[in-house]
Amino acid sequence: MKLLVAIKRTIDYNVKVRVNADNTDVELTNVKMAMNPFCEIAVEEAVRIKESGVADEIVVVSAGPKQTQETLRTALAMGADRGIHIETEMELQPLGVAKILKAVSESEEPGLVILGKQAIDDDSNQTGQMLAALLDWPQATFASNIVLSDQGAEVTREVDGGLETISINLPAVVTTDLRLNEPRYASLPNIMKAKKKPIEVKSPEDLDVDIKPRLIVLKVEEPAKRESGVMVESVAELISKLQNEAKVI
Amino acid sequence: MESVIINRRDLEFQIFELFKATELCNRERFVDHDEESLKAALDVTIKIAEEVLWPNASIGDIQEPHLKNGQVYVPQAVHRGVAAIRDAGYIAAGLDYDRGGMQLPAILLQACLGIFKAADAATPGYLMLTKAAANLLDVHGTEEQKRLYMEPMYEGRFLGTMCLSEPDVGSSLADIKCRAEPQPNGNYLLSGNKMWISGGDQDISENIIHLVLAKLPDAPPGVKGISLFLVPKICVNPDGSLGKANDVSVAGLNHKMGYRAISNCLLNFGEKNVCEGYLIGEKHGGLACMFHMMNEARIAVGISGAMIGYTAYMQALNYAKDRKQGRPIDNRNPEHPPVPIIDHPDVRRMLLKQKSFVEGALALCLMCAKYLDESETATEKNTKYRAGLLLEILTPIAKTWPAEFCQESISLAIQVHGGYGYTKDFSVERLYRDNRLNAIHEGTSGIQAIDLLGRKVRIEEGLGFNFLMEEITSDIEYASSWPELKIFTTTLMEYVSDIVKATNNINDVRDGGRKADSLANASLYLHALGHIVVSWLWLKQSVVAFEQITKSPDTQDADFYKGKINACKYFFLYELPQVKPLINLLSNIDTTCREHGPKMF
């Protein structure tokens, strides 16, 4: 079986994010970028599935500017077999990415597509669901355990009330949650091997998909600073403040 | 949160802009590398260092290894650290691809090991010792020794140790008492005690391979009578499976000031007179085998000191930016909010001193690693020879200068933290204790100084020393084209001519028969030459920074480059002049200390 893993290049999770000067985006110049942590979990899961013998090839795909290839190399160093880079300088939104992934899925015909449940930059949590809908494939989101066979998959999902295990047919789309696994570090020899693995570069036009943004960003702002607290004299004063100032009761 | 252990911008500046590591990628051995793969190696190193080693470092420090029924146990946190470094392939990183290596240049390898040491000084020690022992077997071992011991060591299944010192014998190996009796089957029975054995016992690996210095019955006296033996903790069968326990026992653990995550043992070999050992290399040729890897081991100690110092500096810098205390000197109004302590001039002075020491020390060690690469892979014979001699003369300085001066620097990092720095709530006190070892192990500072002045300055009739002075002078000439750097170039030229005079004088005195007098102040010599070399490295960094700022004045990195130039200025104005009196004492062959007899104390 072939596995397709979609990954995203985001700001490194260690970086303190700042809003840019003209309030149109977060500051990206000279900021360290890395693979989105949920995507690392997706790559790790694919590598484990391949190691267990159920899958025989892992293809990683990512869309974005030229530097996205560094992130694809990281996935190849973790154990993926080949990469597909959809190169574009255009702003990418979940629907555009889902369309790209739909096109790639149709040509690659994987048994399973694995994605991170969300990216730590925009926290959309939409791409996997949109992809499943566009392909009309089953989806299992927020996976914390995946048991895969040629016939189908049993996926344990992290839902509000606890854990839910569902059985799905293949091909399917799965998105990963934090507890699914702990990703490995790329080893030094594998970093060198990854340099020899192929990365195919295509453009959105090659796939014949329209990725034009549908959402418009009006303004990006820092969250409001937390104000210092006050000591209240009585319960009555507290209740009055909650009612009149905070307006929460 | 930015890195707490290293300034990545500076590390990349030094590796790629100052020492131009990518030029090495033209060499046949490194041809598969490019900036991306070298940076990918730094990425994974920093990730492991920050995510696995740094959070565990204090656990390894507090929960010392302990001995129970003859077996040493170390905390699980240390097991995890060793596993992370091992699994990422660092033991074999310098080896060929087909042997599981990455053919990584020494400059990158040393930088990576330094990053690990910065995050946790002690834990990587298990693997660095293993790498050194495996490299030794690679050069001197028999095919069977390579198959049965070296391969599992590169895989990290077996860990290695170096057993040189004994309870009564540390620096003077000529006097070791450990014996090896030849057996009819060609093996040897070892007997004796070995002291200060790092990783001498642990519960991390399946087996432990000790490399042991011992004397054969027919050994000539002195260092020419020392042989090297391989002694496994558990005997290995010809098919590679583990056999019976060998006769090696742990007589005790040393409870150390720092570096506590790595066990340090007193080992008894042959208590029951059945300790099996196997000869490595030629009979009586043990020391030569050991010294084969001495340069690399000493640079590794140097970079450890530089990076522990670097981390302490990063801690102090972050603390000084966060911690609010006091008001500006010219605005004492109590209504004025307290300012971050980095706004106080004396705190800035302490931080700048640390910056000049740790970044200078790192540059020194990376330059040596680059010379190591040159001496091994340069295509031109002369370049190779020159790099080899430069490496010889710089190694004792690279071993010692970071250990000694980063200790001062860490002391200031504690000072910046105030009372908090003196507590276990912050890491700087641990870093201070950890680095203190670096002036002691792998040859003390005093021994390095004698090696420098008594041997390295004189080998090949002083050619290495001349090459060093040529390198410095040629950089001074290059830098002289900028009037703004004039203040540095004239000063450094003056010190170069002073140290050349002093060196000639010392050599003349020695050639005249006063050897002991000539070496009496060897430590001062290392201190003075060390400061001159680090000044040179600051000049080199300034030149690169200056070129970058001139090329693009509006660069986002302008402050970074200005910081380099100002730190250079600091070192030249505040630190370098301090060695002037030392050079005078050396030139005059002062013997005040040597003549102070024991009864006069």
Side-chain angles (χ1 to χ4, degrees), chain A residues 13-16 29-30 32 40 70 73 185-189 191-192 195-196, chain B residues 1 32-34 36 43-44 47-48 51-52 87-88 90 93 97 100 102 556:
Chain A
Y13 77 95
N14 280 314
V15 173
K16 195 165 175 248
T29 5
N30 277 353
K32 186 167 164 21
E40 279 189 331
E70 290 167 24
R73 286 275 170 229
Y185 298 104
S187 75
L188 298 180
I191 288 174
M192 293 315 286
K195 286 173 71 82
K196 299 217 160 70
Chain B
M1 184 185 69
D32 292 335
H33 282 285
D34 51 24
E36 192 188 323
D43 279 338
V44 66
K47 226 170 140 105
I48 294 174
E51 291 175 7
V52 186
D87 294 346
Y90 283 87
Y97 301 129
M102 195 194 182
Q556 283 221 328

CSV table of all heavy atoms in Angstrom, one decimal, chain A residues 13-16 29-30 32 40 70 73 185-189 191-192 195-196, chain B residues 1 32-34 36 43-44 47-48 51-52 87-88 90 93 97 100 102 556:
chain,number,residue,atom,x,y,z
A,13,TYR,N,8.2,26.0,16.3
A,13,TYR,CA,7.3,26.2,17.5
A,13,TYR,C,8.0,26.9,18.6
A,13,TYR,O,7.4,27.4,19.6
A,13,TYR,CB,6.7,24.9,17.9
A,13,TYR,CG,7.7,24.0,18.7
A,13,TYR,CD1,7.7,24.0,20.1
A,13,TYR,CD2,8.5,23.1,18.0
A,13,TYR,CE1,8.6,23.1,20.8
A,13,TYR,CE2,9.4,22.3,18.7
A,13,TYR,CZ,9.4,22.3,20.0
A,13,TYR,OH,10.3,21.5,20.7
A,14,ASN,N,9.4,27.0,18.6
A,14,ASN,CA,10.1,27.7,19.6
A,14,ASN,C,10.2,29.2,19.5
A,14,ASN,O,10.6,29.9,20.4
A,14,ASN,CB,11.6,27.2,19.7
A,14,ASN,CG,11.7,25.8,20.4
A,14,ASN,OD1,11.2,25.7,21.4
A,14,ASN,ND2,12.4,24.9,19.7
A,15,VAL,N,9.8,29.6,18.3
A,15,VAL,CA,10.0,31.1,18.0
A,15,VAL,C,8.8,31.9,18.6
A,15,VAL,O,7.7,31.5,18.6
A,15,VAL,CB,10.0,31.3,16.5
A,15,VAL,CG1,10.0,32.8,16.2
A,15,VAL,CG2,11.2,30.7,15.9
A,16,LYS,N,9.2,33.0,19.2
A,16,LYS,CA,8.2,33.9,19.8
A,16,LYS,C,7.7,34.7,18.6
A,16,LYS,O,8.4,35.5,18.0
A,16,LYS,CB,8.8,34.8,20.8
A,16,LYS,CG,7.8,35.5,21.7
A,16,LYS,CD,8.5,36.1,22.9
A,16,LYS,CE,7.5,36.9,23.7
A,16,LYS,NZ,7.7,38.3,23.7
A,29,THR,N,10.3,37.4,8.1
A,29,THR,CA,11.6,37.6,7.6
A,29,THR,C,12.6,37.2,8.7
A,29,THR,O,12.5,37.6,9.9
A,29,THR,CB,11.9,39.1,7.3
A,29,THR,OG1,10.8,39.9,7.6
A,29,THR,CG2,12.3,39.3,5.9
A,30,ASN,N,13.6,36.4,8.3
A,30,ASN,CA,14.7,35.9,9.2
A,30,ASN,C,14.1,35.2,10.4
A,30,ASN,O,14.7,35.2,11.5
A,30,ASN,CB,15.5,37.1,9.7
A,30,ASN,CG,16.6,37.5,8.7
A,30,ASN,OD1,16.8,36.8,7.7
A,30,ASN,ND2,17.3,38.5,9.0
A,32,LYS,N,13.0,31.5,12.1
A,32,LYS,CA,13.3,30.1,11.8
A,32,LYS,C,12.1,29.4,11.5
A,32,LYS,O,11.0,29.5,12.2
A,32,LYS,CB,14.0,29.5,13.1
A,32,LYS,CG,14.4,28.1,12.9
A,32,LYS,CD,15.3,27.7,14.1
A,32,LYS,CE,15.5,26.2,14.2
A,32,LYS,NZ,15.3,25.4,13.0
A,40,GLU,N,4.9,16.4,11.6
A,40,GLU,CA,5.9,15.5,12.0
A,40,GLU,C,5.3,14.2,12.5
A,40,GLU,O,5.8,13.1,12.3
A,40,GLU,CB,6.8,16.1,13.2
A,40,GLU,CG,7.8,17.1,12.7
A,40,GLU,CD,8.7,17.5,13.9
A,40,GLU,OE1,8.3,17.5,15.0
A,40,GLU,OE2,9.9,17.8,13.6
A,70,GLU,N,13.2,22.2,1.8
A,70,GLU,CA,14.0,21.8,3.0
A,70,GLU,C,13.1,21.0,4.0
A,70,GLU,O,13.6,20.0,4.6
A,70,GLU,CB,14.5,23.1,3.7
A,70,GLU,CG,15.6,23.8,3.0
A,70,GLU,CD,15.8,25.2,3.6
A,70,GLU,OE1,15.5,25.5,4.8
A,70,GLU,OE2,16.3,26.1,2.8
A,73,ARG,N,12.8,17.6,2.6
A,73,ARG,CA,14.0,16.8,2.9
A,73,ARG,C,14.0,16.3,4.3
A,73,ARG,O,14.4,15.2,4.6
A,73,ARG,CB,15.3,17.7,2.8
A,73,ARG,CG,15.6,18.1,1.4
A,73,ARG,CD,16.5,17.0,0.7
A,73,ARG,NE,16.6,17.4,-0.7
A,73,ARG,CZ,16.4,16.6,-1.8
A,73,ARG,NH1,16.1,15.3,-1.6
A,73,ARG,NH2,16.5,17.1,-3.0
A,185,TYR,N,14.0,11.7,15.7
A,185,TYR,CA,14.9,12.6,15.1
A,185,TYR,C,15.5,12.0,13.9
A,185,TYR,O,15.9,10.8,13.9
A,185,TYR,CB,16.0,13.0,16.1
A,185,TYR,CG,15.5,13.6,17.4
A,185,TYR,CD1,15.4,12.9,18.6
A,185,TYR,CD2,15.0,15.0,17.3
A,185,TYR,CE1,14.9,13.5,19.7
A,185,TYR,CE2,14.5,15.5,18.5
A,185,TYR,CZ,14.5,14.8,19.7
A,185,TYR,OH,13.9,15.4,20.8
A,186,ALA,N,15.6,12.8,12.8
A,186,ALA,CA,16.3,12.3,11.6
A,186,ALA,C,17.7,12.0,12.0
A,186,ALA,O,18.4,12.8,12.7
A,186,ALA,CB,16.3,13.4,10.6
A,187,SER,N,18.2,10.8,11.6
A,187,SER,CA,19.6,10.5,11.9
A,187,SER,C,20.6,11.1,10.9
A,187,SER,O,20.2,11.4,9.8
A,187,SER,CB,19.8,9.0,12.0
A,187,SER,OG,19.8,8.4,10.7
A,188,LEU,N,21.8,11.3,11.3
A,188,LEU,CA,22.8,11.9,10.3
A,188,LEU,C,22.9,11.1,9.0
A,188,LEU,O,22.9,11.7,8.0
A,188,LEU,CB,24.1,12.0,11.0
A,188,LEU,CG,24.2,12.9,12.2
A,188,LEU,CD1,25.6,13.0,12.8
A,188,LEU,CD2,23.7,14.3,11.9
A,189,PRO,N,23.1,9.7,9.1
A,189,PRO,CA,23.2,9.0,7.8
A,189,PRO,C,21.9,9.2,7.0
A,189,PRO,O,22.0,9.3,5.7
A,189,PRO,CB,23.3,7.5,8.2
A,189,PRO,CG,23.8,7.6,9.6
A,189,PRO,CD,23.3,8.8,10.2
A,191,ILE,N,20.0,11.8,6.9
A,191,ILE,CA,20.0,13.2,6.3
A,191,ILE,C,20.7,13.1,4.9
A,191,ILE,O,20.3,13.7,3.9
A,191,ILE,CB,20.7,14.2,7.2
A,191,ILE,CG1,19.8,14.5,8.4
A,191,ILE,CG2,21.0,15.5,6.5
A,191,ILE,CD1,20.4,15.3,9.5
A,192,MET,N,21.9,12.3,4.9
A,192,MET,CA,22.6,12.2,3.6
A,192,MET,C,21.8,11.4,2.6
A,192,MET,O,21.8,11.7,1.4
A,192,MET,CB,24.0,11.6,3.9
A,192,MET,CG,24.9,12.4,4.7
A,192,MET,SD,25.0,14.2,4.2
A,192,MET,CE,25.9,14.1,2.7
A,195,LYS,N,19.2,13.3,0.7
A,195,LYS,CA,19.7,14.1,-0.4
A,195,LYS,C,19.5,13.4,-1.7
A,195,LYS,O,19.5,14.1,-2.8
A,195,LYS,CB,21.1,14.6,-0.2
A,195,LYS,CG,21.3,15.6,0.9
A,195,LYS,CD,22.7,15.9,1.2
A,195,LYS,CE,23.4,16.6,0.1
A,195,LYS,NZ,23.2,18.1,0.1
A,196,LYS,N,19.6,12.1,-1.7
A,196,LYS,CA,19.6,11.4,-3.0
A,196,LYS,C,18.1,10.9,-3.3
A,196,LYS,O,17.9,10.4,-4.4
A,196,LYS,CB,20.4,10.1,-2.9
A,196,LYS,CG,21.9,10.5,-2.6
A,196,LYS,CD,22.9,9.5,-3.3
A,196,LYS,CE,24.2,10.1,-3.5
A,196,LYS,NZ,25.0,10.2,-2.3
B,1,MET,N,10.3,31.4,22.2
B,1,MET,CA,11.5,31.2,23.0
B,1,MET,C,12.7,30.9,22.1
B,1,MET,O,12.7,30.0,21.3
B,1,MET,CB,11.3,30.0,24.0
B,1,MET,CG,12.5,29.8,24.9
B,1,MET,SD,12.3,28.3,25.9
B,1,MET,CE,12.4,27.0,24.7
B,32,ASP,N,29.4,15.4,-1.4
B,32,ASP,CA,28.0,15.3,-1.3
B,32,ASP,C,27.3,16.3,-0.4
B,32,ASP,O,26.1,16.4,-0.3
B,32,ASP,CB,27.6,13.9,-0.8
B,32,ASP,CG,27.9,12.8,-1.7
B,32,ASP,OD1,28.0,13.2,-2.9
B,32,ASP,OD2,28.1,11.7,-1.3
B,33,HIS,N,28.2,17.1,0.4
B,33,HIS,CA,27.7,18.0,1.3
B,33,HIS,C,27.5,19.4,0.7
B,33,HIS,O,28.1,19.7,-0.3
B,33,HIS,CB,28.6,18.2,2.5
B,33,HIS,CG,28.5,17.1,3.5
B,33,HIS,ND1,27.4,17.0,4.3
B,33,HIS,CD2,29.3,16.0,3.7
B,33,HIS,CE1,27.6,15.9,5.1
B,33,HIS,NE2,28.7,15.3,4.7
B,34,ASP,N,26.5,20.2,1.2
B,34,ASP,CA,26.4,21.6,0.9
B,34,ASP,C,25.9,22.3,2.1
B,34,ASP,O,25.7,21.6,3.1
B,34,ASP,CB,25.4,21.7,-0.3
B,34,ASP,CG,24.1,21.0,-0.1
B,34,ASP,OD1,23.8,20.8,1.1
B,34,ASP,OD2,23.4,20.6,-1.0
B,36,GLU,N,23.1,23.2,2.9
B,36,GLU,CA,21.8,22.7,3.4
B,36,GLU,C,22.0,21.5,4.3
B,36,GLU,O,21.4,21.3,5.4
B,36,GLU,CB,20.9,22.4,2.2
B,36,GLU,CG,19.5,22.1,2.7
B,36,GLU,CD,18.6,21.6,1.5
B,36,GLU,OE1,18.7,22.1,0.4
B,36,GLU,OE2,17.7,20.7,1.8
B,43,ASP,N,20.6,21.5,12.7
B,43,ASP,CA,19.2,21.4,13.1
B,43,ASP,C,18.9,20.3,14.1
B,43,ASP,O,18.3,20.5,15.1
B,43,ASP,CB,18.3,21.3,11.9
B,43,ASP,CG,18.1,22.6,11.2
B,43,ASP,OD1,18.2,23.6,11.8
B,43,ASP,OD2,17.7,22.6,10.0
B,44,VAL,N,19.2,19.1,13.6
B,44,VAL,CA,18.9,17.9,14.4
B,44,VAL,C,19.7,17.9,15.7
B,44,VAL,O,19.2,17.5,16.8
B,44,VAL,CB,19.0,16.6,13.6
B,44,VAL,CG1,20.4,16.3,13.2
B,44,VAL,CG2,18.4,15.4,14.3
B,47,LYS,N,18.0,20.3,18.1
B,47,LYS,CA,16.8,19.8,18.5
B,47,LYS,C,17.0,18.8,19.6
B,47,LYS,O,16.3,18.8,20.7
B,47,LYS,CB,16.1,19.1,17.3
B,47,LYS,CG,14.6,19.5,17.2
B,47,LYS,CD,14.1,18.9,15.8
B,47,LYS,CE,12.7,18.4,16.0
B,47,LYS,NZ,11.6,19.0,15.6
B,48,ILE,N,17.9,17.8,19.4
B,48,ILE,CA,18.1,16.8,20.4
B,48,ILE,C,18.7,17.5,21.7
B,48,ILE,O,18.3,17.2,22.8
B,48,ILE,CB,19.1,15.7,19.9
B,48,ILE,CG1,18.5,14.9,18.8
B,48,ILE,CG2,19.6,14.8,21.1
B,48,ILE,CD1,19.4,14.0,18.1
B,51,GLU,N,15.7,19.5,23.3
B,51,GLU,CA,14.5,18.8,23.7
B,51,GLU,C,14.8,17.6,24.7
B,51,GLU,O,14.0,17.2,25.5
B,51,GLU,CB,13.7,18.2,22.5
B,51,GLU,CG,13.1,19.4,21.7
B,51,GLU,CD,12.5,18.9,20.4
B,51,GLU,OE1,12.4,17.7,20.2
B,51,GLU,OE2,12.1,19.8,19.6
B,52,VAL,N,16.0,17.0,24.5
B,52,VAL,CA,16.3,15.8,25.3
B,52,VAL,C,17.3,16.1,26.4
B,52,VAL,O,17.2,15.8,27.6
B,52,VAL,CB,16.8,14.6,24.4
B,52,VAL,CG1,16.9,13.3,25.3
B,52,VAL,CG2,15.8,14.3,23.3
B,87,ASP,N,21.1,7.0,18.6
B,87,ASP,CA,20.2,6.7,17.5
B,87,ASP,C,20.3,7.7,16.4
B,87,ASP,O,20.0,7.3,15.2
B,87,ASP,CB,18.8,6.6,18.0
B,87,ASP,CG,18.6,5.5,19.0
B,87,ASP,OD1,19.4,4.6,19.1
B,87,ASP,OD2,17.5,5.5,19.8
B,88,ALA,N,20.7,8.9,16.6
B,88,ALA,CA,20.9,9.8,15.5
B,88,ALA,C,22.2,9.7,14.8
B,88,ALA,O,22.5,10.4,13.8
B,88,ALA,CB,20.7,11.3,16.1
B,90,TYR,N,25.6,9.7,15.9
B,90,TYR,CA,26.7,10.6,16.1
B,90,TYR,C,28.0,9.9,16.3
B,90,TYR,O,29.1,10.4,16.1
B,90,TYR,CB,26.4,11.6,17.2
B,90,TYR,CG,25.5,12.7,16.8
B,90,TYR,CD1,24.1,12.5,16.8
B,90,TYR,CD2,26.0,13.9,16.2
B,90,TYR,CE1,23.3,13.5,16.4
B,90,TYR,CE2,25.2,14.9,15.8
B,90,TYR,CZ,23.8,14.7,15.9
B,90,TYR,OH,23.0,15.7,15.4
B,93,ALA,N,29.5,9.4,12.9
B,93,ALA,CA,29.2,10.5,12.0
B,93,ALA,C,30.4,10.9,11.0
B,93,ALA,O,30.1,11.3,9.9
B,93,ALA,CB,28.7,11.8,12.7
B,97,TYR,N,30.2,6.7,4.3
B,97,TYR,CA,28.7,6.4,4.2
B,97,TYR,C,28.5,4.9,4.3
B,97,TYR,O,27.6,4.5,5.0
B,97,TYR,CB,28.2,6.9,2.9
B,97,TYR,CG,28.3,8.4,2.6
B,97,TYR,CD1,28.9,8.8,1.4
B,97,TYR,CD2,27.9,9.3,3.6
B,97,TYR,CE1,29.1,10.2,1.2
B,97,TYR,CE2,28.1,10.6,3.4
B,97,TYR,CZ,28.6,11.1,2.2
B,97,TYR,OH,28.8,12.4,2.0
B,100,GLY,N,28.0,3.5,7.7
B,100,GLY,CA,26.9,4.1,8.5
B,100,GLY,C,27.3,5.5,8.9
B,100,GLY,O,26.6,6.1,9.8
B,102,MET,N,28.4,9.8,8.1
B,102,MET,CA,27.9,10.9,7.3
B,102,MET,C,29.0,11.6,6.6
B,102,MET,O,28.7,12.7,6.0
B,102,MET,CB,27.1,11.8,8.3
B,102,MET,CG,26.2,12.8,7.6
B,102,MET,SD,25.7,14.1,8.7
B,102,MET,CE,24.6,15.1,7.7
B,556,GLN,N,19.6,43.5,8.0
B,556,GLN,CA,18.9,43.2,9.3
B,556,GLN,C,19.9,42.8,10.3
B,556,GLN,O,19.6,42.8,11.5
B,556,GLN,CB,17.9,42.1,9.0
B,556,GLN,CG,16.7,42.5,8.3
B,556,GLN,CD,15.5,41.8,8.9
B,556,GLN,OE1,15.6,40.7,9.4
B,556,GLN,NE2,14.3,42.5,8.9
